[in-house]
């Protein structure tokens, strides 16, 4: 059996996380809009959740980008085979994606709790940021300065 491509593994992990976020968003909207779950948050809880969601989302994006950028610089400086560099890139990407995924899940759950559409908007914005992090082969090779 041939070893799987590290690029294919990276794409698979990315797609699973992306589709799980999309699925949770759709599920949250359906649950609230069809009154399967009635939002129960008081106005004070709604406002508190809004503040937490904004700070959490902002921190997830900024911290994720900074951690990824620092890790990418250290990976490029290492004298490792390309496969090892891609594996380290994968672990750095997973950390960044997990931060965004956590913020997106928090926003979706906050929407279910409160019924406030602003949480859904914030989750969609996080999904758009996540969408821009698609690790296609040429991008990874360019970021790691690898040759074919």
């Amino acid at each position: 059996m041939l070893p799987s491509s590290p690029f294919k593994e990276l794409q698979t992990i990315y797609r699973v996380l992306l589709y799980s976020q999309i699925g949770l968003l759709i599920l949250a909207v359906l649950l609230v809009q069809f009154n399967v779950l009635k939002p129960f948050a008081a106005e004070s809880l709604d406002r508190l959740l809004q503040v937490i969601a904004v700070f959490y989302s902002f921190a997830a994006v900024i911290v994720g980008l900074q951690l990824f950028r620092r890790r990418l610089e250290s990976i490029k400086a290492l004298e490792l085979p390309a496969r090892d560099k891609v594996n380290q890139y994968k672990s750095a990407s997973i950390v960044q994606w997990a931060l965004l995924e956590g913020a997106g899940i928090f926003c979706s759950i906050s929407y279910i709790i409160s019924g406030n559409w602003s949480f859904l908007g914030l989750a969609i914005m996080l999904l758009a940021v996540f969408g821009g992090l698609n690790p296609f082969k040429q991008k990874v090779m360019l970021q790691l300065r690898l040759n074919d």
Side-chain angles (χ1 to χ4, degrees), residues 22-40 108-115 117 120:
I22 292 170
L24 181 59
L25 276 173
I26 291 170
L27 182 64
V29 169
L30 293 175
L31 288 174
V32 172
Q33 293 307 307
F34 289 113
N35 292 319
V36 175
L37 292 176
K38 296 196 187 301
F40 57 86
S108 297
I109 292 172
S110 296
Y111 171 71
I112 292 171
I113 291 171
S114 69
W117 286 91
L120 209 54

Side-chain angles (χ1 to χ4, degrees), residues 30-68:
L30 293 175
L31 288 174
V32 172
Q33 293 307 307
F34 289 113
N35 292 319
V36 175
L37 292 176
K38 296 196 187 301
F40 57 86
E43 187 174 332
S44 60
L45 178 59
D46 184 24
R47 289 179 195 250
L48 177 64
L49 288 174
Q50 286 179 28
V51 171
I52 293 170
V54 168
F55 281 123
Y56 185 16
S57 299
F58 183 74
V61 171
I62 299 301
V63 171
L65 288 172
Q66 289 299 319
L67 286 175
F68 180 77

Side-chain angles (χ1 to χ4, degrees), residues 79-95:
E79 294 295 325
L80 293 173
R83 184 174 282 279
D84 292 341
K85 283 187 175 186
V86 173
N87 285 332
Q88 290 200 14
Y89 181 93
K90 179 171 60 173
S91 67
S93 295
I94 290 172
V95 170

Side-chain angles (χ1 to χ4, degrees), residues 7-26:
F7 296 109
K8 191 170 220 151
E9 292 173 11
L10 196 58
Q11 276 290 320
T12 302
I13 294 168
Y14 173 80
R15 286 187 181 131
V16 166
L17 292 173
L18 178 67
Y19 297 150
S20 66
Q21 285 184 69
I22 292 170
L24 181 59
L25 276 173
I26 291 170

